[in-house]
Amino acid sequence: MDSLRAKIRRSLDRDRDLPLRARLAKGARYMTSMVLAHRRLRGCNAVGVRARAIARPNVQNAGKLVIGDDFVANSTFAPVELVTAAGGSIEIGHRVRINYGTSISARGAVRLADDVSIGPYTIISDDERDIADAAGRASAGETRPDSASIEIGEGVWIAGRVTILPGTRIGARAVITAGSIVAGEIPADVVAGGIPARVLRA
């Protein structure tokens, strides 16, 4: 409860120059996203406290999908998609923020540590075929490789329209620039980007 009070206090301080009507409308949207979060995320196995679902995400859970405290999924312009196949697992830590149009899918395992932020229209999948499907490319007749788990470390910031390929490991507090395609290992505390992503600044 103290954490919620602190958030509300910070929000009021930040918006003190807005007209009263705009502040009230913003507060109403905030409360609606929190009150409806558990209904909108009901396909998950577990959802932590103070979760917010802004508009309706697409949750298809045939495996395991666990979300930590203070989660935010913003589906305002396009739904956030969280999809697990049978035997697949998505584990999302505390204070994770996922922006609109992002798709996260797992046939094996995808893990997001605490304090991860993901920009809009990002694709994270541990299976190449799912990435092809998300990108709108035909995949009929393709051989599906074995799934390779994805690990995204604490405090990672991923910009918009990033694709994260199977087997990727991103170290804590790394920043991934917009439009990148990420494969393999990205060290902690670096800025990385490009196609394929490489370290731009340590």
Side-chain angles (χ1 to χ4, degrees), residues 37-45 47 53 56-62 64-67 71 73 75 79-84 90 104:
H38 282 272
R39 182 188 298 175
R40 290 172 174 172
L41 296 166
R42 66 181 172 268
C44 300
N45 297 92
V47 177
R56 188 179 299 279
N58 176 15
V59 178
Q60 299 176 40
N61 180 21
K64 177 184 174 188
L65 211 171
V66 176
I67 294 173
F71 173 73
S75 298
V80 168
E81 294 188 345
L82 303 172
V83 180
T84 62
I90 296 174
I104 302 175

Side-chain angles (χ1 to χ4, degrees), residues 89-108:
S89 169
I90 296 174
E91 296 179 23
I92 297 174
H94 303 307
R95 298 173 301 280
V96 171
R97 302 177 65 87
I98 301 176
N99 229 315
Y100 55 87
T102 288
S103 173
I104 302 175
S105 63
R107 293 177 186 270

Side-chain angles (χ1 to χ4, degrees), residues 188-191 199-202:
D189 299 303
V190 301
V191 176
V199 174
L200 303 175
R201 189 167 70 245

